[in-house]
Amino acid sequence: ADIGFHPYPPSKLKAFSEQLDHDGLFERVIVRPITDGCYEILAGHNRTNAGKLAGWETIPCEIVEADDERAITIAIATNLMRRQDLTIMERGRAYKTLLDAKNQQGFRSDKATSGDSRQKYSARQIVAEFFGVTEYEIRKAVKLTQLIPELALILEQETKKLNLACAELIADYDAPSQAAFIEMCKIEGYQFNKATIKHITTQCPPPSAGRQAMFAAWREARSIAEQHEKAPPKKISFDRRKFAPYLSGLNDD
């Protein structure tokens, strides 16, 4: 299954390979048997690739029996716990896949109780407690998986053009509506701010909006921003009564 993790880039894989060659493997790769003496890697793809790059012909493994749901859980959990360099999009896709797997196992996404008072477990709550994060963090990361691939790539690689706060608001739109934001992101030197996105969402409420209406709202937001920049600074006034204690102190000096 595509659980959302990117493999190490060549430069990082080479450095990892050199470390393995010098220090050896600290933790075994986890695999499961599939067919005809073959094994599927559940955790340790980067270790395996780094070992191959170092010239290894074998690598120590821990063999586990796992159905597809457990295999996905192992693969996601080990990556989320070990890799501190994961992007918000990688975490979001991983959380979503893990929540889907948990819900298929019978967990519920609410916290109510049934008629016979049995607890209905919240998959998100269980995942949050296991990884030491909040449910809000998981919900926010999962929401970003609603971004179309082009915007997700911009968020991961060009955060100055599209930051998390803006991306979270854009994710409320459907795919055709999101496409309009790609063109806006491509403008040289331009970067979104939350005020602009909020203006667009007010004028063109999600989940669906026409392209022309969205561009009109965007141009209007930019015009308002430019007017604010050109406006003279507001006059600053002081309440003498509030500053009297400080002023009297100055006079005493």
Side-chain angles (χ1 to χ4, degrees), residues 74-248:
I74 292 171
I76 292 173
T78 51
N79 274 280
L80 286 173
M81 287 189 295
R82 290 180 177 85
R83 293 185 60 179
Q84 301 301 315
D85 61 339
L86 295 175
T87 66
I88 186 68
M89 291 302 303
E90 288 178 304
R91 290 188 177 275
R93 287 189 287 266
Y95 287 138
K96 184 178 185 304
T97 305
L98 190 55
L99 289 173
D100 290 344
K102 291 292 182 188
N103 283 317
Q104 287 174 9
Q105 293 171 1
F107 291 95
R108 294 293 300 272
S109 58
D110 56 49
K111 297 181 182 178
T113 56
S114 60
D116 58 358
S117 298
R118 289 181 302 176
Q119 181 72 29
K120 291 182 179 178
Y121 294 99
S122 163
R124 190 165 54 218
Q125 180 184 25
I126 292 170
V127 172
E129 289 177 355
F130 182 81
F131 291 108
V133 297
T134 64
E135 290 186 60
Y136 171 76
E137 289 177 274
I138 292 179
R139 186 165 56 247
K140 183 175 181 179
V142 170
K143 183 180 179 181
L144 291 173
T145 65
Q146 298 171 195
L147 291 173
I148 57 179
E150 294 89 343
L151 288 176
L153 190 63
I154 293 172
L155 176 62
E156 287 188 303
Q157 298 183 355
E158 300 180 83
T159 52
K160 287 186 177 180
K161 282 185 172 290
L162 181 63
N163 59 46
L164 282 174
C166 293
E168 190 176 2
L169 293 173
I170 293 173
D172 288 326
Y173 286 99
D174 57 22
S177 302
Q178 286 187 34
F181 291 99
I182 299 174
E183 297 180 49
M184 301 173 194
C185 286
K186 288 182 178 178
I187 296 176
E188 186 68 29
Y190 178 71
Q191 51 187 296
F192 276 116
N193 58 59
K194 197 170 182 178
T196 298
I197 299 296
K198 280 190 171 182
H199 184 83
I200 295 174
T201 57
T202 300
Q203 299 299 314
C204 307
S208 182
R211 181 178 178 279
Q212 290 185 346
M214 293 182 74
F215 269 92
W218 173 61
R219 285 191 290 269
E220 188 177 74
R222 293 188 68 182
S223 176
I224 293 172
E226 289 175 358
Q227 289 174 13
H228 285 170
E229 289 178 1
K230 293 177 181 178
K234 293 182 179 180
K235 184 178 179 181
I236 300 176
S237 59
F238 296 93
D239 186 336
R240 185 175 182 84
R241 289 172 299 176
K242 292 182 179 180
F243 286 89
Y246 305 101
L247 295 175
S248 61

Side-chain angles (χ1 to χ4, degrees), residues 7-22 24-25 29 41 44-59:
Y8 284 171
S11 58
K12 187 169 183 177
L13 188 65
K14 185 175 184 299
F16 189 24
S17 173
E18 292 171 353
Q19 178 190 332
L20 285 183
D21 194 38
H22 182 267
L25 188 69
V29 172
I41 299 172
H45 292 84
N46 288 313
R47 278 169 280 171
T48 303
N49 291 333
K52 288 180 181 178
L53 195 61
W56 294 6
E57 295 183 357
T58 61
I59 190 167

